[in-house]
Amino acid sequence: MEDLLRGRALRHLMVDGVDAVFVRDPVLVRAILVSESKNYGKGELFRKARTLSRVGLFSEDEIMHRHYRRLANPYVRSTQVAEYVPDMREISNGFTSAWRAGQSVDIQSEMCRITCSIVVQTLMTGLPSQTSEALSESLSRLAWEMIRKPLYGKAAARAARPGGGKRLSQARREFADLLTVCIAELLDSPETRAGYLSTLLSDSDAQGNSLLTAQEVCEEAVMMLTAATVTTASVMSWALYLVSTDPLVEKLLANDMARGLSGSAVDDHDASGYTRRFLMEVLRLYPPIWISCRQALSDVVLGDHALPAGTNLVFSSYLLHRDPERFADPSRFDPDRWLSITLGNVDASYIPFGIGSKGCIGETFAWRQLEVILESVMQKWTLETDPDRKVRTAPETTLHPRRLLMTPQPR
């Protein structure tokens, strides 16, 4: 992508067999996502997330999208997320305490288990413990299968079809079946509350009629819970790998945590603490949602370029985050670069969680998860990788390490 787009703000390309315009200029990307967003709808090039749900947050209807964004907001706003932190910490400590010194750990699989347990137990409160555990384990299997399947191409199309991508289809079906049972029990016992799931079930119109069927509630919950886990698990895997490659980074993080500074940022882009700068830099180099698409709803002018209605516009946060005009020595991992960078509202040069009305509603939730899990691991373990094994980048649903086995040693 870098070779094809070097020196070009826009370029017409075939992407996944479809004519598209790839946008490299961060100012133009911001126009698509923010200032001129009304002119652009959701693109259809990368469909896999849409196979989970076409209602609620993934609806093409803008009014419906905003409605379900408002329904989810109480569960992921800053004040509520702060109340989740003790549970996040307890869950993370429970998993990491079970690791054994010298025994190899599949880090991505473990990060899926931790993040899925956190999401289920914080967003779906009031369920019996056995039900929560079963949902968490089933969701972690689905998240892992989602992570390592392509977001694009024939493989993604096969995975999206019923019966296609057998392990992904089976994992999705198993989790949906568990959720369906939960939903049936909640409908039979309306006095029981189960957090976000109950909110979806109770959503109704002015006449009291439910807006979503039980099946649509299940689809929406699958989408929301999967989106809240696959991205965080991928980022956390990169974070733990990068800690293992640099003793100075590990020392600075440990000092930050010892002083109680991790997780103390007043907003999601406050780079005053080293832990926050470290995670910002991980997200810069390895943004989980590494490529996105929008479609022109009418004839538009983007910058100096006239584009007809229906044009597919593709942009990549991976490329935006590695733009040498915005980031000096862009491929170098340097958390302290954020001491001199001020993020403004001029362009989209740093968008790990997206921006605008379609930006990630769970950004604050994700930041807290990352900080808590990182601290939980580092309080107990030093993680080592095999020096003879090269860790490769896999650009699939998320931008994740191809295979990441690490060996914990007591700190």
Side-chain angles (χ1 to χ4, degrees), residues 57-299:
L57 285 171
F58 267 84
S59 169
E60 294 183 24
D61 186 299
E62 188 68 24
I63 294 175
M64 181 179 285
H65 170 84
R66 289 198 300 269
H67 174 74
Y68 283 94
R69 192 177 179 94
R70 286 193 295 270
L71 285 186
N73 183 63
Y75 297 96
V76 293
R77 61 190 178 197
S78 298
T79 53
Q80 183 61 53
V81 171
E83 295 183 13
Y84 297 150
V85 169
D87 289 333
M88 289 182 177
R89 187 169 292 119
E90 182 180 353
I91 292 166
S92 299
N93 289 340
F95 279 97
T96 57
S97 295
W99 296 352
R100 294 292 176 260
Q103 293 185 4
S104 181
V105 174
D106 186 327
I107 289 297
Q108 290 182 94
S109 176
E110 281 295 284
M111 292 305 106
C112 282
R113 294 181 69 206
I114 293 173
T115 56
C116 289
S117 185
I118 287 173
V119 165
V120 168
Q121 294 189 46
T122 56
L123 299 187
M124 298 174 63
T125 55
L127 297 175
S129 59
Q130 287 185 325
T131 302
S132 289
E133 290 173 10
L135 283 170
S136 299
E137 285 299 315
S138 181
L139 179 60
S140 71
R141 291 191 290 273
L142 173 57
W144 180 221
E145 291 302 325
M146 283 289 292
I147 284 173
R148 58 183 184 167
K149 293 292 190 297
L151 186 66
Y152 48 84
K154 294 180 180 179
R158 285 196 299 270
R161 292 196 297 265
K166 290 184 178 179
R167 288 186 300 189
L168 175 59
S169 295
Q170 182 177 349
R172 187 182 335 177
R173 185 168 56 252
E174 288 176 354
F175 183 61
D177 287 347
L178 286 173
L179 265 182
T180 299
V181 172
C182 288
I183 289 168
E185 291 175 350
L186 289 170
L187 289 173
D188 289 339
S189 305
E191 72 281 357
T192 303
R193 304 297 298 169
Y196 178 65
L197 198 58
S198 292
T199 297
L200 291 176
L201 286 170
S202 61
D203 189 31
S204 58
D205 60 21
Q207 288 72 43
N209 301 310
S210 295
L211 292 177
L212 297 179
T213 66
Q215 178 62 34
E216 289 172 333
V217 168
C218 182
E219 291 177 0
E220 183 69 3
V222 170
M223 183 282 300
M224 179 74 166
L225 297 173
T226 305
T229 52
V230 296
T231 51
T232 310
S234 295
V235 175
M236 199 66 244
S237 299
W238 281 119
L240 295 176
Y241 170 68
L242 289 167
V243 171
S244 75
T245 63
D246 192 330
L248 179 58
V249 167
E250 186 172 18
K251 179 181 178 181
L252 291 171
L253 283 171
N255 291 342
D256 211 36
M257 293 171 184
R259 294 197 301 270
L261 297 179
S262 64
S264 62
V266 296
D267 64 57
D268 293 335
H269 292 152
D270 181 353
S272 58
Y274 187 81
T275 301
R276 181 53 62 95
R277 294 199 298 277
F278 167 80
L279 291 171
M280 289 177 72
E281 187 70 346
V282 174
L283 282 159
R284 185 185 71 82
L285 287 177
Y286 301 104
I289 305 303
W290 59 280
I291 194 164
S292 301
C293 179
R294 294 289 187 271
Q295 191 172 72
L297 299 175
S298 58
D299 294 349

Side-chain angles (χ1 to χ4, degrees), residues 8-61:
R8 295 172 179 258
L10 279 76
R11 181 171 181 178
H12 287 266
L13 294 171
M14 290 291 289
V15 179
D16 214 13
V18 176
D19 284 323
V21 173
F22 212 119
V23 185
R24 179 73 184 265
D25 187 331
V27 173
L28 298 184
V29 172
R30 185 175 182 87
I32 294 169
L33 297 178
V34 182
S35 60
E36 300 171 22
S37 62
K38 66 180 183 301
N39 298 327
Y40 302 92
K42 292 172 180 170
E44 289 291 330
L45 273 171
F46 309 109
R47 296 170 177 256
K48 191 160 66 173
R50 297 285 298 284
T51 68
L52 296 178
S53 174
R54 286 182 176 269
V55 297
L57 285 171
F58 267 84
S59 169
E60 294 183 24
D61 186 299

